[in-house]
Amino acid sequence: MAAGNVNPFNLSDSEDEADQRAEDGVHIEKSPSVGTQGPSSNNPFSPQADAEPPALLVSSTRTSPCVEGISVSVAAAAMTVALAETRVSVDVIAAQLIRDHYILTALEFHTELLESGRELPRLRDYFSNPGNFERQTGTPPACKEQGLGPGGPLNRAGSISTLDSLDFARYSDDGNRESDERVAVLEFELRKAKETIQALRTNLTQAAESDTQERNKNYSSHPETQEPIRPLEKRALNFLVNEYLLKNEYKLSAITFSDENDDQDFELWDDVGLNIPKPPDLLQIYRNCGSALPSPRNTVDVAVGVESGELTGNYITQKSDLLQQELEYQISLLNEEKQSLADYIKKLQRCMEPVVRNKQSDCPSILTGMSILIPVHSHSHIFLSFLIHRKLSPAFQQALLSFCKMSADSRLGAEVSRIADNEESVMLMLGRCLPHIVPNVLLAKREELIPLILCTACLHPEPKERDQLLHILFNLIKRPDDEQRQMILTGCVAFARHVGPTRVEAELLPQCWEQINHKYPERRLLVAEACGALAPYLPKEIRSSLVLSMLQQMLAEDKADMVREAVVKSLAIIMGYIDDPDKYSQGFELMLLSLGDPSERVVSAIHQVFIPAFAAWTTELGNLQTTLIPSLLARIEKLLKQGEHGLDEHKLHMFLSALQSLIPPLFSVVIQNAPFTHRVNLQGDIPPIEVTRFPRPASPLQDIATIVGSRETLSALLILYDYQLEHEGTTGWDSLLWVVNQLLPQLIDIVGRINVASTTCVHEFSRFFWRLCRTFGKIFTNTKVKPQFQEILRLSEENVDALTGNGILTKATVPIYATGVLTCYNQDEDRKLLVGFLEDVMTTLSLSHAPLDSLKASFVELGANPVYHELLLTVLWYGVVHTSALVRCTAARMFELILRGMSEALIDRRVAPALITLCSVSMLACVCVYINVCVCVSQLLERVKMQLASFLEDPQYQDQHSLHMEIIRTFGRVGPNAEPRFRDEFVLPHLHKLALGNNVQATESKRIDIATQLFEAYSALSCCFISEELMVNHFLPGLRCLRTDMEQLSPEHEVILSSMIKEGEMKVENRGIGQAEGSVSIAASLVGEDAKTKFLSKMGQLTTSGAMLANVFQRKK
């Protein structure tokens, strides 16, 4: 029947159809139960009236005639005729509903009939015709005849003009809510599509079963004949074979088998295409192969109440080949329709998502009269398949389901009731839920959320949600530690790799900018580290502008050392990727700013990371030798000019340390731009580099092997470098000639202008030249560096008597050359050269009566390293046995500089003989130096004390005023720091003798000079602890002798001396009282007063020395 010719007033369509089929030769057998009426037979809607024939087949699509389909039609027609004889036909009811315009009721009636397996052609054809529901401007007679009423036709959905897309909810009691109606229609369309697929699968299964039965008959008659495998059989067997392989741990075979059958989903039995339960596994089939398997009819829903054998033989006796062809044709049609329906379902799901997203919380999921669903959100359909064969009313079903405790009204309930069915839905769900999850996770475990947050932020379609998720990421942990920051940075880098530079700039950088002034330093540290980690993934314009400015601001303003350290490292990474030459000056200023940082860790980071990266960039620009190094040298020279009266040693150290960090890049430039680079051959055996060939690098970035590429390349270059210097010279080697002709002369000139008394400057320049010579090698040092120093120093025979024009020997050039150049290599010839240089300098300076500051600086710098103690003693022994008393005196002065820290064995073996030899020297200065040395070295006191005493008591020195002055001055200087025994037994008694002898001095000028020196010596010794015996026998008598002199020569000093004598006498008296009373008096006094106050008052009285303080805690005897 054509859909457009449906007559709603024809009440006998079903009867006519039955009559027509009867005329075609179909014999209808009536069921015994048909026509039986119960007590309520007058009600056309009673259960007896609506009772369905047993096991009717649910099928709404007939593509071709088949045994089961014809059986259904015959049974349905017979039942319809029987019911029509006794009561009102369902067809009459349907016609009445359509005529009275009860469209929704008719639709619900149609749905009920479909679910019970009794599809009514009138309702099917009516609702399948979109023309019955077209919107028209007026109400034509045809519409009135069809019973549409004054309300006009119903609205059509905009998608497909069929019943499945009609919007029956538009004119509901809830009003014109188009979003709700659209959701309802789409839900119904999806359900109908699924039902259609289910029906198709049922027909396909029945067709396959019929075909199997036929082939079983053929096989029983001809067992030797084996037909080819069918597609459905192949898919079923493939599934069972794959299942067998997985269960028995043949995983590789299962993977290979799955790859060879990529058109089949082995995870889902329904993908086979049969609407039957999954059969037993292969093992079970094998075990039961000998027994009779149950008939498939026992396990398959058959909708007819009669057996196939009871049907008329016209259909059973058809030829098997015709039936087989028909079944194959039907199966192909079903497969095509299944595929098209699957595509249609996907299209419907995509159409539903935008609408569902806007109506997540209030879209009902129940379409009245269409299906029975659990009341959850619209895209979480759960069909109650277990209610399909029940006759409960929808209202009763809803009331029954209301007892299930489900909450879809809250946010969490809405999320729980919605099941994501694709990747985008998962991302949307995570984007909604993560902001509520994060605050409820413990701080110590929040890093576990980092992968989830980053994955969602990376794949989420909404920019606003992505921004919120990244904001959560950077605020995930209040004060992230090192490990947590590393996890976040790792995630940010992975995010940057995935999304590309544009999204990194638009989404990640704003998060960094927001945290740049955060109150917690750990968060600012995260920003500083993130800028460096993301630098390779940013657009080059942003990298050299915005990011560079952010880091520059943090470097200048942040107060946390660890943040500035991270900023410096991130700036180094920026320098490694920047390619804008105009940013060179900004990078240079950042280097100077970082070098002046007060934090040691920031300065260390600038040397280890930033300067190597900046030097690599300047090397690419060609500015290392032309701009960077000359700029630092110019600043050093300017600093020396400005600091003639006071050099800023901190700035000098800052610039010089930067130059020192540039030595490895400079050497790399020299060897990579040498004339021999084209001869480098990395094939064959390349000798390894000596471990001590280069100074230990401060970081991997300062390792020359890293700079040039590999240790093999460096080794090959070094071989050619040494050969070129030794045999071929430097002709055409511009980079090395710049070092020899420009850098070295300028450095030597700077060294000659620094203050030799500044040990810090001398040490820094010595280290610089040491690293320079060690890096450029021994051949370079011997042939290029040493000759330039020797030319300036000019140590020759004719310059011994006068230093006219050779004042450079008194400058810092001497110690820097000795400690920075001559100590680079420690072989015998190098040590001999150093010893000879120091001996020549000591001789020249002594005989020329020049200042010894440069020599002292050399001895101090070398004496700090125990390796050079033997060498220095060799030089001093040369001075001790020198024929010139001036040289011997200079040697004596040098002893005092190197003895501290020297081993006792070396003192006994080398120092003591030299000092004893010096005792025979008659020079005044030598005697004083000898005393200083003996005081400084406690091991020598016992051995030379008697020699010192006899030397001071020698009559030939009794009238030497200058000797006495120097001895008293020396005692006053070394007495407080000397050994107590030496002070008590030697210094105080000899001071007493000198004070007593000064009372009878006839010359007033000499008397006042001695008295003044004695006053200073006693003032220095008064702070020391002096025993009562020494106080009474030597200290107080010496002060009284000195007071006698001061009464006549300097009354103002006499007052101070009287106070010192009085204080000494009181100490002697107090000690006597303390010994008499014992410790009991102290305990009694503490009991009578507050213990704390009394103890502190006692402590306050002891201001003279630590030794007196110690006596407080000793028990008095």
Side-chain angles (χ1 to χ4, degrees), residues 213-250:
Q213 293 174 3
E214 186 65 27
R215 283 189 283 108
N216 288 338
K217 293 178 181 180
N218 294 336
Y219 179 77
S220 61
S221 59
H222 303 283
E224 67 280 358
T225 304
Q226 184 174 1
E227 297 182 2
I229 188 171
R230 306 287 180 176
L232 288 175
E233 293 174 337
K234 181 179 179 181
R235 294 176 68 86
L237 288 175
N238 286 347
F239 184 89
L240 295 175
V241 170
N242 182 75
E243 181 185 42
Y244 169 77
L245 293 175
L246 291 176
K247 285 184 177 180
N248 292 275
E249 299 297 330
Y250 299 116

Side-chain angles (χ1 to χ4, degrees), residues 663-673 703-705 707-708 717:
I663 293 176
L666 177 61
F667 182 71
S668 303
V669 170
V670 169
I671 61 175
Q672 288 179 315
N673 293 276
D703 189 351
I704 301 176
I707 298 174
V708 301
L717 289 171

Side-chain angles (χ1 to χ4, degrees), residues 425-465:
S425 301
V426 174
M427 292 300 107
L428 294 173
M429 181 269 294
L430 289 174
R432 294 188 302 268
C433 293
L434 279 174
H436 303 280
I437 295 173
V438 172
N440 298 300
V441 178
L442 293 175
L443 289 175
K445 296 296 182 182
R446 285 191 180 178
E447 63 267 20
E448 300 292 339
L449 295 172
I450 294 175
L452 199 59
I453 295 174
L454 281 167
C455 183
T456 308
C458 189
L459 302 176
H460 202 285
E462 297 295 334
K464 184 177 180 181
E465 295 295 331

Side-chain angles (χ1 to χ4, degrees), residues 33-42 48 83 85-87:
S33 62
V34 174
T36 305
Q37 298 180 4
S40 304
S41 61
N42 294 332
Q48 290 78 4
L83 291 176
E85 294 176 357
T86 58
R87 61 183 185 275

